[in-house]
């Protein structure tokens, strides 16, 4: 019986040799090559020139400007920091920074040890006029001068604080009160505790013992320092 694991004889698209491959690989559009060597050999031969593959992935009107010239954004794969990547040499694991490729396609090869840096401070930008050559030290100095993140931490003046902080702009995302994973009390218990305290005749120590929390917790609830959102 034919199942998706049944192996079927096919001819390799590169070397034309016959080999067997499970049906499910063919159904997934795979299983065209007898092995990795043939796969990459094929990829190299059908691959279009780097410049063609590169410039068609560039958006020249992203609406961001530097020095009177619009940025050109790389629309292909970015790395986690937003720098574009493009595969070069047609081999696995051989990819390069898109802005570096842009520089090399436009001017000349980047001399060893030098970096391609951004005037416009936009990692995705590949417009050659927005790029310049520098050393690793230049990169750090440039980063400091533009107040970009150092070690992943934004400088004080660029951090979202006060009214701009996420807890104010998106309060529903900050777990408060009983929704907080560390909460020992429920909203109802806190209201009850405050009611009983304002009715008088009970000590904080007694309330703390009753609700199995510390005196500090009780005093913060009563002063409104914690569980503010229920006041
Ligand atoms: Zn083959
Ligand atoms: Zn730019």
């Amino acid at each position: 019986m034919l199942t998706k694991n049944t192996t079927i004889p096919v001819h390799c698209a590169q070397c034309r040799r016959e080999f067997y491959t499970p049906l499910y690989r063919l159904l997934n559009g795979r299983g065209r090559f007898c092995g990795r060597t043939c796969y990459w050999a094929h990829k190299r031969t059908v691959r279009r020139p780097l410049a063609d593959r590169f410039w068609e992935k560039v958006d020249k009107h992203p609406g961001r400007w530097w020095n009177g010239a619009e940025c050109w954004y790389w629309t292909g794969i970015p790395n986690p920091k937003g720098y574009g990547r493009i595969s070069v040499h047609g081999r696995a694991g051989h990819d390069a920074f898109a802005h570096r490729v842009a520089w090399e396609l436009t001017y000349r090869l980047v001399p060893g040890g030098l970096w391609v840096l951004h005037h416009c401070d936009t990692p995705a930008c590949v417009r050659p006029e927005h790029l310049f050559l520098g050393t690793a030290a230049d990169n750090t100095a440039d980063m400091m001068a533009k107040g970009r993140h150092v070690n992943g931490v934004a400088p004080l003046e660029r951090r979202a604080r006060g009214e701009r902080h996420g807890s104010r702009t998106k309060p529903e995302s900050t777990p408060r009160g009983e929704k907080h994973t560390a909460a020992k009390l429920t909203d109802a218990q806190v209201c009850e505790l405050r009611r009983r305290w304002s009715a008088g005749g009970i000590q904080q120590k007694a309330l703390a013992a009753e609700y199995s929390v510390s005196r500090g917790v009780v005093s913060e609830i009563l002063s409104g320092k914690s569980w503010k959102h229920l006041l």
Side-chain angles (χ1 to χ4, degrees):
M1 200 187 85
L2 197 66
T3 71
K4 62 187 173 58
N5 287 319
T6 312
T7 54
I8 305 219
V10 284
H11 289 277
C12 172
Q14 176 69 15
C15 69
R16 297 275 140 217
R17 254 201 341 241
E18 194 183 71
F19 69 102
Y20 282 77
T21 195
L23 183 58
Y24 75 85
R25 297 199 74 224
L26 296 173
L27 294 175
N28 288 342
R30 287 152 65 217
R32 292 173 56 220
F33 303 99
C34 65
R36 218 180 294 192
T37 318
C38 278
Y39 169 77
W40 284 110
H42 184 82
K43 238 182 158 164
R44 265 199 300 281
T45 54
V46 300
R47 196 144 260 232
R48 289 174 305 127
L50 181 59
D52 292 2
R53 290 191 293 120
F54 184 82
W55 293 113
E56 73 185 15
K57 288 210 185 69
V58 174
D59 172 12
K60 295 191 173 176
H61 302 286
R64 187 185 161 109
W65 296 71
W66 174 79
N67 206 16
E70 199 163 1
C71 282
W72 293 354
Y73 276 16
W74 174 249
T75 61
I77 315 158
N79 81 350
K81 287 190 169 171
Y83 291 94
R85 303 289 294 179
I86 184 170
S87 71
V88 290
H89 311 318
R91 284 205 292 280
H94 285 242
D95 57 345
F97 280 123
H99 61 289
R100 202 177 164 101
V101 172
W103 173 279
E104 295 194 336
L105 287 173
T106 312
Y107 305 117
R108 59 197 156 88
L109 290 185
V110 175
L114 287 187
W115 293 37
V116 177
L117 308 173
H118 285 92
H119 281 304
C120 60
D121 202 22
T122 306
C125 181
V126 295
R127 183 166 189 159
E129 297 91 325
H130 289 192
L131 304 171
F132 64 102
L133 288 185
T135 60
D138 292 336
N139 182 45
T140 313
D142 185 53
M143 201 157 77
M144 300 291 223
K146 288 168 180 161
R148 234 187 302 141
H149 301 192
V150 177
N151 295 331
V153 179
L156 261 189
E157 69 278 9
R158 291 185 63 168
R159 277 184 226 168
R161 304 165 90 211
E163 287 309 313
R164 279 176 52 233
H165 192 265
S167 63
R168 304 278 171 80
T169 57
K170 268 182 85 182
E172 67 282 4
S173 301
T174 307
R176 302 266 186 216
E178 66 185 14
K179 290 199 198 74
H180 197 286
T181 49
K184 283 195 175 162
L185 298 172
T186 64
D187 289 357
Q189 282 176 314
V190 170
C191 293
E192 184 186 80
L193 190 146
R194 282 183 176 141
R195 239 187 346 264
R196 290 180 58 192
W197 173 255
S198 45
I202 188 156
Q203 283 193 316
Q204 290 195 11
K205 200 161 70 176
L207 284 169
E210 207 177 304
Y211 291 90
S212 316
V213 291
S214 71
R215 278 221 25 214
V217 167
V218 171
S219 117
E220 287 194 347
I221 289 174
L222 296 177
S223 68
K225 199 171 165 203
S226 61
W227 297 79
K228 255 189 276 216
H229 64 295
L230 290 184
L231 282 172

